[in-house]
Amino acid sequence: MIKASQTADYIVNWLQDYIDNTPLKGFVVGVSGGIDSAVVSTLCALTGKKTILVEMPIHQGRDQVSRGKKHLNWVCENHENVEQVELDLTDTYDGFVRSLEKVADINSSLGTKMLTLSNTRSRMRMMSLYALAGVHQLLVCGTGNKVEDFGVGFYTKYGDGGVDLSPIADLMKSEVFELGEYLGVNSDILTARPTDGLWDDGRTDEDQIGASYDELEWAMHLQSKLGNHPKDSDFANDREREVWSIYLKMHLANLHKMQPIPICTIPESLKK
C-alpha cells in the first residue's frame, strides 16, 4: 500500500524539479492504453509543463486503441499544457519487415521471429518519441514499473527501456494501480489485463511471463529477504515454487538490461 495523494504530489514535484534543472521544456510520453502509461502521462500533465502524449499504433488491437484514445482525450480536456499526437507506424513497420526478410531468415524459428519483431515495434516507438522530443525540446518520460524494470526485466532493451527519466520505476505494479485509481484513470484501463501491446495475437503480460504481477511482487519480496537461494521450506506450495522458478529465470536472463553496459577497461600498461 502507498499513500497515493502524497506519492502523486512527490512524483509531480520530482518531475518539476528535474525539468527545471535542464534547458528543456517538458515531457513526451508514449501512451498505450495500459495503466503504466496512463499514470505517467497524468503525472506529467499535472506538472503544468509542456507535455506531448503520443499514440503509436502498429497493427494495434481495437480495445487497446480505444482505451488509449479515451485516456488521451480525458487528459487533454483537463490540462491545457497537454497535446496529443498520433503516429501510425504500421506502414513503416511493415516496410522494415519486408526489407529484413530479404537479408535475414527470420522465418527459420517462429518463436525467434515473433520476439524479434515485437522488440522491433518497441524500438521504432522509442525512435519516434526521441524524434518528437528533439524537435520540441522535451525529455522522454519512461513508463516502466519496479517489477518490469528491476524484477524480471520485462521490457525491450533500447525500446521502452530507452528513456531519459523514470517516475514510477520505484513502484510495484499494484502500487501503480493504486496511484491510477487516485488520479482518476478511467475504469477501462484499471480493469484491463496488462499487456505490452507488441503481439498480433493480443497476448497479455501474464500469458508471456507465466505468472501474474501479484505473484511476481511476492517473488521480488522473497528475493529481497532471502537472496537467490531460498530453501524449499520457504515455499508454502508447489505454485510458489513454480513462480519463484519463473521469476529467478527471467531475472537472471535479463540482468544485462538492468546492469550498466560492460566496458572493457584497457590496462595502463597497454596504453602509450
Side-chain angles (χ1 to χ4, degrees):
M1 297 288 290
I2 57 170
K3 297 177 181 178
S5 175
Q6 292 96 317
T7 301
D9 290 343
Y10 186 90
I11 296 174
V12 169
N13 289 333
W14 181 83
L15 288 166
Q16 289 172 327
D17 290 344
Y18 192 95
I19 202 70
D20 286 343
N21 284 289
T22 74
L24 302 173
K25 299 177 180 179
F27 312 99
V28 59
V29 185
V31 174
S32 64
I35 186 63
D36 296 323
S37 65
V39 166
V40 170
S41 57
T42 305
L43 293 168
C44 287
L46 288 168
T47 66
K49 306 293 184 181
K50 180 179 178 66
T51 299
I52 297 181
L53 307 183
V54 192
E55 189 181 12
M56 296 170 286
I58 302 175
H59 296 295
Q60 223 63 33
R62 291 183 180 179
D63 57 339
Q64 297 170 31
V65 172
S66 63
R67 288 199 305 269
K69 286 185 180 298
K70 186 175 180 179
H71 175 73
L72 287 167
N73 292 335
W74 174 72
V75 177
C76 289
E77 287 170 2
N78 288 280
H79 300 278
E80 294 182 354
N81 57 306
V82 179
E83 62 180 282
Q84 58 176 297
V85 171
E86 179 179 346
L87 289 176
D88 192 330
L89 300 176
T90 299
D91 289 344
T92 302
Y93 169 81
D94 288 345
F96 176 80
V97 172
R98 288 193 296 270
S99 296
L100 183 62
E101 288 174 335
K102 294 177 182 178
V103 298
D105 184 16
I106 63 173
N107 295 302
S108 58
S109 169
L110 181 60
T112 299
K113 173 185 177 180
M114 293 177 70
L115 181 59
T116 297
L117 295 182
S118 69
N119 285 331
T120 296
R121 296 187 189 202
S122 184
R123 290 176 178 131
M124 283 185 171
R125 289 172 176 152
M126 178 275 294
M127 292 171 59
S128 301
L129 292 175
Y130 270 98
L132 284 169
V135 169
H136 295 281
Q137 295 182 283
L138 305 172
L139 289 172
V140 176
C141 203
T143 60
N145 60 69
K146 192 170 187 176
V147 180
E148 295 169 343
D149 285 6
F150 300 108
V152 291
F154 190 64
Y155 60 90
T156 299
K157 197 172 188 177
Y158 306 121
D160 50 332
V163 299
D164 292 316
L165 69 171
S166 296
I168 63 168
D170 195 36
L171 294 177
M172 293 291 198
K173 188 79 168 185
S174 60
E175 295 170 330
V176 177
F177 273 105
E178 288 182 56
L179 202 54
E181 187 172 1
Y182 165 75
L183 292 169
V185 170
N186 74 71
S187 59
D188 291 347
I189 290 176
L190 290 172
T191 57
R193 297 181 67 192
T195 176
D196 58 15
L198 298 177
W199 303 83
D200 290 336
D201 57 11
R203 66 186 67 181
T204 65
D205 292 352
E206 185 173 349
D207 292 334
Q208 295 182 64
I209 297 170
S212 69
Y213 277 102
D214 286 341
E215 290 176 322
L216 295 173
E217 289 182 26
W218 166 82
M220 285 187 73
H221 288 307
L222 184 68
Q223 183 184 45
S224 68
K225 291 189 297 183
L226 303 177
N228 289 347
H229 304 286
K231 300 176 182 178
D232 190 63
S233 58
D234 293 317
F235 303 112
N237 50 55
D238 289 341
R239 178 56 182 169
E240 286 192 356
R241 293 184 184 88
E242 182 181 14
V243 169
W244 172 253
S245 178
I246 291 169
Y247 171 82
L248 186 63
K249 181 179 180 179
M250 289 192 69
H251 177 79
L252 295 177
N254 290 323
L255 278 176
H256 67 96
K257 302 180 187 179
M258 299 179 263
Q259 295 177 342
I261 298 171
I263 296 174
C264 179
T265 303
I266 309 301
E268 287 298 323
S269 61
L270 298 180
K271 298 180 180 180
K272 294 182 180 180

